[in-house]
């Protein structure tokens, strides 16, 4: 019985110590060399829409490009290409990003939008809402402030 007490005491002492000294999780910003002298920097997140479905939300940057790609579950949602994406900041500002998806005819669950003209207007530390141009009405994807902060770091780092 005393052996078990020592075991649990050690566990209770070691776990907090391990958590205190373990390295923090890596940033979600990734740098990838696509080809020689062609670098893409991206931020990937899984975010839920207001109906509870998960979207892959990827902000990526290449030389002279800043794109936001939204990927919904196949056959669940259908983008209305070439309609723009609407972004609403927590302060109520409405921004629009033009459709920029070259494979729009063949991939209906993916939208890609040009954010380069909006880069200076995107919130630095506020949440925002994405309203993708879908055949299915009323879909909104909430982007938490932490993701907006990461996006701003990506934009500033490019």
């Amino acid at each position: 019985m005393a052996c078990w007490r020592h075991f649990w005491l050690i566990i209770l002492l070691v776990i907090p110590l391990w958590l205190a000294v373990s390295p923090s999780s890596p940033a979600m910003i990734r740098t990838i060399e696509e080809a020689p002298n062609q670098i893409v920097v991206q931020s990937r997140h899984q975010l839920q829409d207001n109906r509870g479905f998960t979207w892959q939300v990827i902000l990526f940057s290449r030389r002279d490009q800043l794109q936001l790609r939204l990927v919904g579950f196949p056959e669940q949602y259908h983008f209305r290409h070439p309609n723009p994406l609407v972004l609403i900041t927590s302060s109520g500002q409405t921004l629009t990003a033009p459709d920029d998806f070259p494979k729009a005819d063949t991939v209906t669950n993916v939208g890609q939008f040009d954010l380069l003209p909006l880069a200076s207007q995107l919130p630095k530390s506020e949440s925002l809402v994405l309203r993708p141009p879908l055949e299915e009405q009323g879909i909104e994807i909430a982007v938490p402030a932490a993701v907006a902060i990461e996006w701003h770091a990506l934009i500033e780092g490019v």
Side-chain angles (χ1 to χ4, degrees), residues 6-72:
H6 288 297
F7 172 77
W8 288 113
L9 181 61
I10 290 172
I11 293 296
L12 291 174
L13 292 174
V14 170
I15 289 178
L17 180 63
W18 176 73
L19 291 173
V21 296
S22 65
S24 60
S25 62
M28 295 300 295
I29 296 175
R30 299 176 186 154
T31 302
I32 302 164
E33 186 173 5
E34 293 180 309
N37 298 319
Q38 184 175 335
I39 303 294
V40 65
V41 181
Q42 60 181 228
S43 166
R44 292 177 171 258
H45 289 278
Q46 303 284 331
L47 301 177
Q48 285 192 338
D49 64 24
N50 55 334
R51 294 190 181 166
F53 291 100
T54 301
W55 289 77
Q56 186 175 33
V57 179
I58 308 162
L59 180 70
F60 63 94
S61 176
R62 291 186 184 98
R63 185 184 332 232
D64 300 323
Q65 287 185 325
L66 183 63
Q67 304 283 319
L68 181 65
R69 183 174 291 167
L70 302 175
V71 182

Side-chain angles (χ1 to χ4, degrees), residues 135-155:
E135 291 177 8
E136 300 75 21
Q137 299 294 312
I139 303 302
E140 295 185 341
I141 303 168
V143 178
V147 174
I149 290 168
E150 184 176 296
W151 287 1
H152 186 69
L154 184 148
I155 293 166

Side-chain angles (χ1 to χ4, degrees), residues 87-139:
L87 301 91
I88 302 170
T89 67
S90 61
S91 60
Q93 182 182 13
T94 300
L95 308 168
T96 57
D99 189 322
D100 192 26
F101 192 58
K103 299 177 185 174
D105 294 337
T106 58
V107 185
T108 61
N109 67 309
V110 179
Q112 185 168 300
F113 305 92
D114 183 8
L115 294 190
L116 191 58
L118 307 176
S120 64
Q121 299 173 54
L122 291 173
K124 296 180 181 181
S125 60
E126 300 174 19
S127 61
L128 64 141
V129 172
L130 307 177
R131 288 188 182 155
L134 300 169
E135 291 177 8
E136 300 75 21
Q137 299 294 312
I139 303 302

